[in-house]
Amino acid sequence: MQRIAPELIEELHEKREKEHKLPGLDITDGVVMRIAPNPNGPPTLGSARGIIINHEYAKMYDGKFILRFDDTDPKIKRPMLEAYAWYEEDCEWLGAKPDEIVIASDRLDRYYEYAEELIKKGDAYICFCSQQKFKQLKDAKKACPHREKDARTNLESWKKMLAGEYDEGEAVLRIKTDIKHKDPALRDWVAFRIVKMPHPRVGDKYQVWPMLDFESAIEDHLLGITHIIRGKDLMDSEKRQKFVYGYLGWEYPKTSHWGRIKIHEFGKLSTSEMKKAIQEGLYEGWDDPRLPTICSLRRRGIQPDAIRNFMIGLGISETDIAVSMDTLYAENKKIIDPVANRYFFVHDPVRMMIENAPPVVAKAPLHPNIDRGIRQISTRGEVFVCKDDVERMKEGKILRLKDLYNIKITSLKPPKAEYIGNDRSIIERGAIIHWAPVDGAKVEVLAPDYEYNGVGEEGIKSELGNVVQFERFGFVRINSVDGVIRAHFAHK
RNA sequence: GCUCCGGUAGUGUAGCUCGGCCAAUCAUUUGGGAUUCUCACUCCCAAGACUGGGGUUCAAAUCCCCACCGGAGCACCA
């Protein structure tokens, strides 16, 4: 084919490529992308979308990828000290090492400077209304009495605010927009509020904290962000921020937004819900196999490139989507199948005597299609077989123990068989079962919904950290080999 | 209630900007078959969609209007 129709092959390749391609960006001058998480827990599959897509674009245009921690809420969505490093690790593991890392809680002074500038220009004011009071006025398209205060008065109040003279909830800094704006979501929004609770990183150094809309607006400009791709829940955020950009004479980055992503298997778990459930002991930790965190997927043997391909395949449409982990698993299998060594693992093992069986050392390939060598398992007339297989057995049935020899079932109540040679041609399809040596290693496999206990080959112990396939069972990652082997289930 | 944004097979996606080459792409999924010392992998075949209704036009998935459905924002959360 290469000889007679090279152009067809070319075309085929192009089609293959296409599935993992993102739409082009509108570029005027370079590309600087960012992801801006609040480190109040470890990165999840949701975070991975932002990490991968933004990094992918930066890479595509030879641009820059920035990891910025928007950790400006010491109270409600309180950052976790450990989570900063988790983000760095997971970004790197996903193949999206940031070119620069910025932490908002280090840069409050800059935000204060711009706040002051806006106050001086009359584009922001200190508001002393209660939350409810302001909402009432806002919904009625009415300005509050503080809106018309002059810049000097506002500046004084701002200084007092910074000096800690007000209590939490007593005063906020609002950005003037249009109090009669037809969209209530945009009317005079809060840029700073008072939080007295110490921040996990910077302690009680600050009591006046910016809201996301303000912090992010300033940072995106300071960092020279050219394109923002994020969830569509932040669409109105853009509209609010554009007022600030207008006042400061800045140009807003180009934006696109994707819809909400829901994963069938996990439902909608927020970081704070997960945190609570872990504290209550419902999960063993952030890497519990039932959780959609990156650390959990890593422990299960999901490969970074599989996650990457999966995310790129989802694209960046504004439609809300509900996807199944099956798609991720399919991507993962493509990567893993050629490299995973095969082993026998028998869950719910049942001991079976085999009469007249000679002692044999089974020689089985580590991989069925690729020559990766063999594994050897010695047996002497007795093996473990899976309970499920025993339940399907009938007296007189001829089976083959894979890579070992043929047997004929002679009894069921205690399962027994007799050795009947090694002629593969007498075996019908589907009559091959796997087995484990009676002196094999104890193995536990933790799946999202079940824990399997059983016996496997000794050779599994050499696969620490690797993904292997337990034949007729599925792919697992070997996570511990001291004493009993502990593995986590990836997928079929 | 006000405002904004969406709606292509079971799922995700391409096409929509610039109407015709779209009886609609690719992947996954499901069913069947081939191969196989795994119920894995590979290969082959098949199934399955433009939310509905109007309009513009020689021609509409693509443009316009209405309806319906879904999502988001209206926080001193991110």
Side-chain angles (χ1 to χ4, degrees):
Chain A
M1 187 161 177
Q2 178 72 63
R3 204 178 58 244
I4 53 173
E7 71 281 359
L8 278 183
I9 290 193
E10 194 89 346
E11 208 171 296
L12 230 67
H13 280 302
E14 260 172 45
K15 277 198 170 163
R16 282 274 159 77
E17 294 275 301
K18 213 175 168 186
E19 71 177 272
H20 291 314
K21 217 164 166 191
L22 256 13
L25 242 35
D26 181 10
I27 306 296
T28 46
D29 192 22
V31 171
V32 181
M33 310 291 300
R34 49 71 159 184
I35 162 168
N38 175 19
N40 61 339
T44 61
L45 221 33
S47 331
R49 190 178 194 189
I51 294 169
I52 287 163
I53 300 292
N54 281 287
H55 171 264
E56 199 63 22
Y57 272 120
K59 199 174 77 182
M60 189 184 292
Y61 293 99
D62 203 21
K64 192 172 170 187
F65 173 61
I66 297 173
L67 167 60
R68 185 184 74 218
F69 292 106
D70 283 356
D71 57 344
T72 56
D73 177 12
K75 199 174 178 181
I76 300 171
K77 289 189 177 169
R78 193 156 217 272
M80 284 175 72
L81 238 24
E82 314 90 300
Y84 293 82
W86 291 343
Y87 266 91
E88 286 182 53
E89 281 164 24
D90 287 354
C91 279
E92 207 161 324
W93 181 73
L94 285 167
K97 188 175 161 69
D99 298 305
E100 187 181 339
I101 297 174
V102 175
I103 303 180
S105 56
D106 277 342
R107 294 157 61 103
L108 287 220
D109 294 329
R110 304 179 194 223
Y111 312 146
Y112 290 165
E113 279 172 35
Y114 288 104
E116 195 171 315
E117 186 178 338
L118 290 168
I119 294 167
K120 284 178 180 162
K121 292 171 61 160
D123 296 323
Y125 60 98
I126 307 292
C127 174
F128 295 95
C129 295
S130 71
Q131 221 171 321
Q132 305 90 306
K133 173 75 180 163
F134 187 85
K135 181 173 164 50
Q136 270 175 20
L137 291 167
K138 182 204 71 180
D139 287 344
K141 298 186 180 178
K142 284 196 182 115
C144 82
H146 318 285
R147 195 178 204 267
E148 299 315 321
K149 290 279 199 313
D150 60 63
R152 181 183 300 268
T153 313
N154 278 320
L155 203 55
E156 267 170 38
S157 305
W158 170 246
K159 299 278 189 209
K160 284 188 187 170
M161 204 170 145
L162 290 180
E165 291 186 26
Y166 303 129
D167 284 332
E168 252 181 65
E170 207 179 326
V172 295
L173 182 76
R174 284 187 188 278
I175 300 297
K176 272 189 202 170
T177 62
D178 173 0
I179 201 68
K180 293 183 164 56
H181 198 287
K182 64 174 181 169
D183 184 348
L186 306 191
R187 297 171 198 157
D188 285 21
W189 48 275
V190 172
F192 285 86
R193 83 294 205 185
I194 297 165
V195 183
K196 302 254 171 176
M197 184 184 275
H199 187 279
R201 278 190 74 252
V202 296
D204 52 11
K205 190 171 170 190
Y206 304 103
Q207 299 189 344
V208 176
W209 286 89
M211 302 291 290
L212 171 80
D213 283 339
F214 191 83
E215 175 268 334
S216 179
I218 301 298
E219 283 294 2
D220 285 336
H221 176 260
L222 258 29
L223 296 171
I225 304 298
T226 58
H227 301 262
I228 299 171
I229 307 180
R230 58 185 166 195
K232 71 176 178 186
D233 46 318
L234 262 18
M235 262 175 159
D236 285 342
S237 191
E238 170 173 354
K239 292 179 192 154
R240 284 190 284 263
Q241 293 177 335
K242 275 184 170 165
F243 284 95
V244 171
Y245 273 66
Y247 298 145
L248 266 12
W250 296 345
E251 193 186 334
Y252 201 82
K254 297 190 173 67
T255 56
S256 43
H257 301 264
W258 54 58
R260 280 193 96 76
I261 174 169
K262 198 178 99 195
I263 308 220
H264 291 313
E265 288 80 350
F266 295 112
K268 39 192 185 302
L269 275 177
S270 73
T271 301
S272 29
E273 282 168 335
M274 284 192 268
K275 187 182 281 185
K276 196 168 158 237
I278 291 169
Q279 278 164 359
E280 287 169 0
L282 262 47
Y283 300 108
E284 59 177 71
W286 287 105
D287 58 0
D288 187 290
R290 289 162 292 183
L291 258 20
T293 53
I294 300 303
C295 49
S296 162
L297 296 176
R298 175 168 53 220
R299 192 165 69 148
R300 290 174 55 193
I302 306 298
Q303 302 299 298
D305 275 348
I307 301 177
R308 177 183 167 277
N309 294 343
F310 173 70
M311 290 302 173
I312 292 175
L314 292 186
I316 51 170
S317 78
E318 273 183 34
T319 322
D320 296 330
I321 54 177
V323 289
S324 158
M325 288 292 282
D326 286 348
T327 315
L328 211 205
Y329 296 155
E331 291 293 348
N332 201 54
K333 206 188 282 181
K334 286 180 201 162
I335 296 170
I336 260 170
D337 185 78
V339 299
N341 285 335
R342 314 292 151 125
Y343 291 95
F344 291 146
F345 158 68
V346 172
H347 67 83
D348 300 305
V350 178
R351 222 178 167 98
M352 185 162 74
M353 288 287 297
I354 300 153
E355 288 168 310
N356 304 323
V360 179
V361 177
K363 295 190 169 109
L366 280 165
H367 195 283
N369 313 320
I370 302 162
D371 185 17
R372 302 169 63 89
I374 58 157
R375 51 205 169 116
Q376 303 195 23
I377 319 151
S378 43
T379 63
R380 34 181 67 253
E382 201 175 5
V383 296
F384 278 125
V385 291
C386 187
K387 190 172 150 226
D388 295 351
D389 285 327
V390 172
E391 280 164 6
R392 281 190 288 260
M393 284 174 189
K394 285 188 192 112
E395 235 170 271
K397 172 97 174 160
I398 290 174
L399 291 174
R400 179 170 176 81
L401 296 174
K402 189 167 184 289
D403 302 304
L404 189 62
Y405 46 56
N406 302 340
I407 56 170
K408 183 184 209 169
I409 307 302
T410 53
S411 149
L412 287 179
K413 284 157 287 167
K416 273 190 189 166
E418 68 174 324
Y419 170 81
I420 54 163
N422 198 14
D423 178 8
R424 265 160 56 193
S425 65
I426 64 162
I427 299 297
E428 14 177 302
R429 295 185 42 170
I432 298 170
I433 62 171
H434 63 119
W435 51 277
V438 286
D439 55 354
K442 277 203 165 31
V443 181
E444 287 174 17
V445 178
L446 192 61
D449 52 350
Y450 194 74
E451 184 174 335
Y452 297 89
N453 288 288
V455 178
E457 299 173 36
E458 277 297 318
I460 298 168
K461 288 189 173 165
S462 66
E463 298 277 2
L464 181 62
N466 293 341
V467 177
V468 302
Q469 188 201 45
F470 287 161
E471 296 196 43
R472 301 212 306 147
F473 181 80
F475 292 91
V476 303
R477 183 172 190 261
I478 308 302
N479 288 315
S480 152
V481 295
D482 311 323
V484 320
I485 295 169
R486 276 182 75 88
H488 284 82
F489 186 73
H491 47 77
K492 279 297 276 181

